[in-house]
Amino acid sequence: MKKYKVREYINKLKEDNEIESLNMCDDILDIEINYMTYNSNNVDFDTMFICKGDNFKEEYLNSAIKNGAIVYVSEKKYKVNIPGIIVKNIRNSLSLLSDMYFDFPEKYLTKIGITGTKGKTTTSFYTKYILDEYAKENLKKDTAIISSLTTYDGIENFESHITTPESYEIHKHFRNAVDSEIKNVVMEVSSQAYTKKYGRLYGLNFDIGVFLNISEDHVSPIEHPTFEDYFSCKLKLFENTKRACVNLDSDYSDRILKCAKKYTNDIITFSTKDSNADVYAYDIMVENDGTHFKVKTDKFDREFVIPMPGKFNVENALAAIAITYTLGIDSKYMYLGLKSAKTAGRMELFKTKDNKMVSIVDFAHNKLSFEKIYETVQNEYKDRYVITVFGCPGGKAQIRRKNLGEVAGKNSDMVYITADDPGVEEVSKISSEIEKYLKEYTNN
């Protein structure tokens, strides 16, 4: 991996008009940066230290200098004994600098970005399974994935805790993938990643951008102030993609398609309702071994099987088919990949031997996801006594408490409200707020 000089990093920021001022002498300009970090506890010699975060303190910079930082990047000028690069937007700058530090790995990857209120993780794994089947038979490397469930880049493989990581981590995973000779990377794209507050995808362009669906979510004082802001941030994916895949079954599909056409002429549509879609699913049937459906495109017309229940998972499978269709993958790999695909915590079924009790485990956390699950229960498990166990996170997306409470109340015989990442909020407070919206649907 090539190392770059301070001067080259400055020029990179200048190209994007991110430099506010420079506080340094010429001697530093031709020194190569050995390491880059925003963690003061993780500093090596000749480090470029990034001062980021709402809670950043000058003591972190002093600690970094003590441990080997030779230049800092910040929106604020500090009175310290190392040179500083003062920038207009530290989040944008971090993304640009990280890309250069990891020697522009995205140039060697096919990057697939998937956004939507629900289905991002399942679609990401469906796509990975298909591409891995293709790779297996053609002696190629498997597919990297950056999702809210798992991150795998050929070197690192761990359980994820956020949908879209910091830009530095994204470019690090890209570099690991390139060094592992991986060609494809699938990643979930959150609305928050495109906000000015986080800017985690600044300067990054996808080869394929996928829009699954949209419904009201993530509206809170610390996330998106309005649904329109949430929707607009999701649509920014199209500003940064070469080719687009659009779900015609989504609410606001006309607006989504119009936005996609504004930025690219290379668009593949998919649908379970509109036979004019480029990728159209029909004859959807639930059987013992999973959900069967047929898909028609201009290249094939054949049956597929997914081992997960729910018509909404057919939409996720269609998205994966549309993605791999765009990449020119043969339908036999689509079939093999989807038939074997599994995603932990996504419509996982557990049954008693006599089939009298069925448990469905799903990480559903918004109104659309809840509605789709209950739709599946009503269609595939009719006349069952329905018990729901769920909670809502603390400090964000407070509208979920109303939405999930109402949806669960309408569709359940019994509801247990429990903790779900409450953060600094009291679980009892969150549960009481949910309960308010349940009451009109319950007798006690």
Side-chain angles (χ1 to χ4, degrees):
M1 190 172 79
K2 179 181 177 181
K3 293 187 182 297
Y4 292 89
K5 298 177 181 179
V6 173
R7 183 191 304 277
E8 292 172 296
Y9 284 104
I10 291 173
N11 289 338
K12 177 67 175 175
L13 293 174
K14 283 182 177 178
E15 288 175 9
D16 227 70
N17 195 31
E18 281 295 332
I19 297 287
E20 187 69 45
S21 66
L22 296 173
N23 178 31
M24 63 180 61
C25 58
D26 291 342
D27 294 345
I28 192 76
L29 295 176
D30 289 318
I31 294 179
E32 285 186 348
I33 292 299
N34 173 63
Y35 192 61
M36 180 183 293
T37 184
Y38 54 82
N39 183 350
S40 60
N41 295 318
N42 184 25
V43 177
D44 204 341
F45 71 93
D46 290 349
T47 288
M48 176 176 283
F49 184 70
I50 314 296
C51 306
K52 80 161 189 72
D54 294 336
N55 299 315
F56 183 82
K57 299 177 181 178
E58 188 171 346
E59 63 192 70
Y60 302 153
L61 175 56
N62 290 327
S63 175
I65 294 170
K66 183 179 179 180
N67 291 328
I70 61 168
V71 62
Y72 73 93
V73 183
S74 172
E75 291 180 0
K76 176 183 176 181
K77 183 178 179 180
Y78 291 99
K79 293 182 180 179
V80 291
N81 62 354
I82 64 169
I85 303 171
I86 314 306
V87 298
K88 296 176 181 178
N89 186 307
I90 193 62
R91 293 284 183 173
N92 294 353
S93 298
L94 175 61
S95 186
L96 295 169
L97 294 171
S98 299
D99 190 21
M100 175 171 270
Y101 172 68
F102 289 107
D103 198 14
F104 308 104
E106 84 286 348
K107 293 191 300 184
Y108 308 100
L109 295 167
T110 296
K111 303 171 296 300
I112 302 159
I114 301 170
T115 198
T117 300
K118 72 172 299 295
K120 296 186 293 296
T121 302
T122 302
T123 301
S124 296
F125 274 89
Y126 280 169
T127 304
K128 175 174 167 56
Y129 270 89
I130 293 171
L131 293 175
D132 284 354
E133 285 291 337
Y134 172 79
K136 189 191 310 179
E137 187 166 317
N138 292 275
L139 302 178
K140 296 180 181 293
K141 296 290 184 177
D142 54 0
T143 302
I145 186 169
I146 302 174
S147 78
S148 55
L149 188 64
T150 298
T151 296
Y152 166 73
D153 61 18
I155 295 175
E156 294 186 83
N157 190 357
F158 58 87
E159 180 181 332
S160 304
H161 297 287
I162 57 175
T163 302
T164 308
E166 286 284 2
S167 57
Y168 179 91
E169 275 70 36
I170 291 173
H171 291 289
K172 180 183 73 171
H173 294 313
F174 286 177
R175 170 45 56 187
N176 286 347
V178 171
D179 289 347
S180 301
E181 298 183 347
I182 288 174
K183 298 299 181 184
N184 300 309
V185 57
V186 182
M187 66 179 290
E188 296 182 41
V189 176
S190 70
S191 57
Q192 289 281 290
Y194 274 123
T195 62
K196 291 181 180 179
K197 181 178 180 181
Y198 293 106
R200 291 172 177 167
L201 298 171
Y202 184 81
L204 178 61
N205 291 304
F206 291 96
D207 294 279
I208 302 175
V210 186
F211 203 112
L212 299 174
N213 45 61
I214 187 75
S215 68
E216 192 169 16
D217 195 25
H218 295 289
V219 178
S220 75
I222 64 171
E223 295 175 286
H224 297 279
T226 63
F227 173 72
E228 177 57 33
D229 182 73
Y230 170 60
F231 195 179
S232 296
C233 284
K234 283 208 169 289
L235 288 172
K236 286 184 179 179
L237 174 65
F238 293 131
E239 298 179 30
N240 303 280
T241 190
K242 296 176 184 176
R243 293 171 284 179
C245 295
V246 176
N247 181 12
L248 297 183
D249 297 349
S250 172
D251 290 344
Y252 306 98
S253 60
D254 289 346
R255 179 178 173 184
I256 296 166
L257 195 57
K258 181 179 179 181
C259 183
K261 289 178 178 178
K262 183 178 178 181
Y263 297 102
T264 178
N265 293 320
D266 195 345
I267 300 172
I268 295 295
T269 58
F270 57 96
S271 175
T272 63
K273 301 174 183 177
D274 188 345
S275 60
N276 292 316
D278 298 306
V279 180
Y280 171 61
Y282 63 101
D283 287 354
I284 302 170
M285 296 178 292
V286 178
E287 299 185 9
N288 290 332
D289 62 338
T291 305
H292 292 241
F293 58 99
K294 294 178 181 177
V295 175
K296 183 177 182 180
T297 73
D298 63 349
K299 294 181 180 178
F300 59 83
D301 189 345
R302 63 174 299 169
E303 184 179 67
F304 290 89
V305 183
I306 52 174
M308 297 167 69
K311 184 177 178 180
F312 62 92
N313 278 316
V314 174
E315 290 185 18
N316 297 331
L318 270 189
I321 291 171
I323 291 165
T324 49
Y325 168 94
T326 303
L327 293 173
I329 302 297
D330 191 278
S331 66
K332 73 174 181 178
Y333 302 114
M334 300 177 190
Y335 177 86
L336 292 170
L338 291 174
K339 189 175 182 181
S340 62
K342 295 179 181 178
T343 309
R346 296 301 191 271
M347 293 299 289
E348 285 189 284
L349 291 180
F350 301 91
K351 300 180 180 181
T352 56
K353 289 183 178 179
D354 59 10
N355 201 35
K356 289 184 177 180
M357 184 177 291
V358 179
S359 177
I360 300 175
V361 178
D362 194 274
F363 293 162
H365 60 271
N366 55 56
K367 182 181 179 182
L368 183 58
S369 297
F370 260 45
E371 288 175 337
K372 295 295 185 181
I373 288 175
Y374 287 120
E375 180 182 306
T376 298
V377 170
Q378 291 162 6
N379 290 334
E380 300 175 22
Y381 301 97
K382 293 179 180 179
D383 302 321
R384 297 272 186 149
Y385 187 85
V386 178
I387 302 172
T388 300
V389 182
F390 79 99
C392 288
K396 60 182 181 180
Q398 280 134 334
I399 195 169
R400 291 179 189 171
R401 300 174 193 186
K402 176 180 184 295
N403 290 341
L404 303 195
E406 290 178 343
V407 175
K410 290 176 185 176
N411 294 280
S412 306
D413 296 292
M414 181 180 290
V415 177
Y416 290 90
I417 307 171
T418 187
D420 180 5
D421 190 18
V424 297
E425 279 196 80
E426 292 289 335
V427 175
S428 58
K429 174 180 176 294
I430 298 171
S431 298
S432 295
E433 288 186 25
I434 298 170
E435 183 188 18
K436 288 189 304 184
Y437 302 104
L438 276 168
K439 281 186 173 179
E440 66 175 288
Y441 304 100
T442 60
N443 296 322
N444 51 51

